[in-house]
């Protein structure tokens, strides 16, 4: 019989801690996995005690659940450098980070960054998964993107519970790009809220945004054909809806309209050290589209970029929807 597989969770923010509840419970009752689940924590002091000691003795992440995550790009880079060479070459990695890194020609998938740094096979998990609701065991769905069917089945076994339902699809790059692009659309949804438009307008933003997400994935995701079906999974339309009605990207974009302050200032005021992914991702996407002379085909993505970085008046956002190529 094969030795039980050891599981380690890298990162212990809001989302990492919520996932640790699921993974820990599953590993404890499934002989495929080693009973002990390690968790890699950024050490810090909380009320005079080490956070690792609190988690190990009190079994509660008092700081981050509920709480907030460190910016993923900073954290993962450092962590990869720290664990390089200390990890088995046949280890399987799964990234739960919604965002992108900066590549030479625009955006780069975080899973690709990890794969390059650590030399291990990577999959991704993305969905409409607000961490506190997952920790409260409220029902939700999620999507695992994994090229290898056997690896996908193993990861599903580790992750799935009655209240956390997992679907596995092969288009890992599409699953991950959904997690990044939906933050741009959420900024657009926040502009609508700030401008006082109703649910009909926001529904149009979500639909047009989804169309641009699909079109962009077809340009960017070259690992294989991009089917529309993946966008009907939790990583696609469900996560998009959740983010456009809740989430920090929507919230800050609304405040941007109402206060007239810069995105940077609002980030400092409202997010307690966290970064906004939407505007930054819009800037990365803009680089790629400009490079390929395709900006005109993506007016919603472009408008978010222009409003956040180029001083385009936010009142122009609606005309970008009215004149969308989808309507021509």
């Amino acid at each position: 019989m094969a030795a039980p597989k050891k599981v380690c969770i890298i990162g212990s923010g809001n989302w990492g801690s919520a996932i640790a509840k699921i993974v820990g419970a599953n590993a404890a009752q499934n002989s495929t996995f080693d009973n002990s689940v390690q968790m890699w924590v950024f050490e810090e002091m909380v009320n005079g005690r080490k956070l690792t000691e609190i988690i190990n003795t009190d079994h509660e992440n008092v700081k981050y659940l509920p709480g907030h995550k460190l910016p993923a790009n900073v954290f993962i880079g450092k962590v990869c450098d720290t664990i390089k060479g200390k990890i088995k070459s046949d280890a399987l990695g799964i990234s739960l980070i919604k965002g992108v890194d900066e590549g030479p020609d625009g955006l780069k998938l975080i899973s690709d960054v990890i794969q390059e740094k650590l030399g291990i096979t990577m999959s991704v998990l993305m969905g409409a998964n607000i961490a506190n609701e997952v920790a409260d065991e409220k029902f939700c769905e999620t999507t695992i993107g994994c090229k290898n069917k056997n690896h996908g089945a193993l990861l599903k076994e580790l992750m799935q519970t009655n209240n956390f339902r997992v679907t596995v699809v092969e288009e890992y790059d599409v699953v991950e790009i959904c997690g990044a692009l939906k933050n741009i659309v959420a900024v657009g949804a926040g502009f609508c809220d700030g401008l006082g438009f109703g649910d009909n307008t926001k529904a149009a933003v979500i639909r047009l945004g989804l169309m641009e997400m699909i079109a962009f994935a077809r340009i960017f995701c070259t690992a294989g054909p991009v089917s529309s079906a993946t966008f009907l999974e939790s990583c696609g339309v469900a996560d998009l809806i959740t983010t456009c009605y809740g989430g920090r990207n929507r919230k800050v974009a609304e405040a941007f309209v109402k206060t007239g302050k810069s995105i940077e200032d609002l980030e400092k005021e409202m997010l307690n050290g966290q970064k906004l992914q939407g505007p930054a991702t819009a800037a990365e996407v803009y680089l790629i589209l400009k490079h390929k002379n395709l900006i005109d085909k993506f007016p919603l993505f472009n408008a978010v970029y222009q409003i956040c970085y180029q001083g385009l008046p936010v009142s122009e956002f609606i005309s970008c929807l009215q004149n969308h190529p989808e309507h021509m």
Side-chain angles (χ1 to χ4, degrees):
M1 208 175 121
K5 293 175 169 39
K6 291 184 175 171
V7 181
C8 178
I9 297 163
I10 309 292
S12 58
N14 194 212
W15 184 212
S17 301
I19 281 296
K21 277 188 72 174
I22 288 175
V23 167
N26 279 351
Q29 51 190 235
N30 186 331
S31 59
T32 307
F33 305 103
D34 192 282
N35 187 36
S36 171
V37 174
Q38 302 292 323
M39 192 174 187
W40 189 297
V41 176
F42 183 80
E43 186 66 279
E44 52 193 312
M45 301 301 287
V46 180
N47 299 329
R49 292 172 72 196
K50 285 184 177 174
L51 186 56
T52 47
E53 184 212 325
I54 295 170
I55 291 171
N56 286 336
T57 55
D58 303 352
H59 304 289
E60 184 188 351
N61 188 336
V62 292
K63 180 156 184 189
Y64 290 113
L65 189 66
H68 62 267
K69 281 191 291 191
L70 294 166
N73 51 349
V74 177
F75 188 53
I76 268 296
K78 282 186 186 163
V79 166
C80 283
D81 292 341
T82 319
I83 60 181
K84 202 174 180 175
K86 301 185 178 74
I87 194 166
K88 288 182 179 173
S89 59
D90 62 348
L92 301 182
I94 182 163
S95 171
L96 282 71
I97 299 165
K98 292 179 181 174
V100 287
D101 208 358
E102 203 168 331
D105 306 314
L107 84 180
K108 191 169 185 182
L109 299 176
I110 299 269
S111 65
D112 287 340
V113 174
I114 300 171
Q115 193 150 334
E116 282 168 23
K117 281 190 179 250
L118 297 183
I120 61 172
T121 304
M122 288 298 297
S123 302
V124 297
L125 180 147
M126 304 278 151
N129 306 141
I130 293 165
N132 291 31
E133 293 181 16
V134 172
D136 287 340
E137 297 178 27
K138 291 175 176 161
F139 176 79
C140 70
E141 301 173 313
T142 201
T143 313
I144 288 178
C146 183
K147 284 175 285 195
N148 179 310
K149 283 206 159 83
N150 293 337
H151 292 171
L154 183 69
L155 292 167
K156 178 171 179 170
E157 204 178 326
L158 178 64
M159 296 288 188
Q160 179 159 275
T161 70
N162 277 342
N163 288 316
F164 193 70
R165 305 309 288 176
V166 176
T167 304
V168 182
V169 299
E170 283 182 40
E171 296 177 354
Y172 76 97
D173 49 352
V174 180
V175 171
E176 188 167 3
I177 203 73
C178 279
L181 296 179
K182 52 105 191 188
N183 287 321
I184 306 178
V185 187
V187 172
F191 290 159
C192 276
D193 290 341
L195 291 163
F197 290 94
D199 286 340
N200 294 345
T201 312
K202 199 191 271 196
V205 168
I206 291 171
R207 190 191 78 81
L208 293 167
L210 182 61
M211 300 310 282
E212 291 192 16
M213 284 168 64
I214 295 171
F216 186 84
R218 291 196 164 132
I219 296 163
F220 180 80
C221 300
T222 52
V226 172
S227 72
S228 303
T230 304
F231 293 87
L232 297 176
E233 299 294 346
S234 185
C235 62
V237 69
D239 197 11
L240 180 59
I241 291 167
T242 305
T243 312
C244 286
Y245 280 92
R248 56 187 183 228
N249 289 280
R250 189 216 63 79
K251 189 169 77 173
V252 172
E254 181 181 22
F256 174 81
V257 181
K258 289 183 168 172
T259 64
K261 293 179 182 175
S262 72
I263 292 280
E264 210 176 28
D265 287 348
L266 290 166
E267 206 174 49
K268 283 180 193 140
E269 266 176 47
M270 297 172 71
L271 297 184
N272 205 15
Q274 283 178 300
K275 288 285 174 203
L276 266 195
Q277 304 105 322
T281 306
E284 301 283 348
V285 163
Y286 178 81
L287 281 181
I288 290 178
L289 294 175
K290 191 177 177 191
H291 186 61
K292 294 184 184 284
N293 288 325
L294 287 169
I295 287 166
D296 293 349
K297 300 258 193 306
F298 294 84
L300 194 150
F301 286 178
N302 183 34
V304 170
Y305 167 73
Q306 297 290 347
I307 291 165
C308 290
Y309 294 103
Q310 302 296 317
L312 182 74
V314 75
S315 53
E316 296 290 304
F317 183 65
I318 298 301
S319 66
C320 300
L321 308 181
Q322 290 165 334
N323 303 317
H324 202 283
E326 277 274 308
H327 298 143
M328 295 300 132

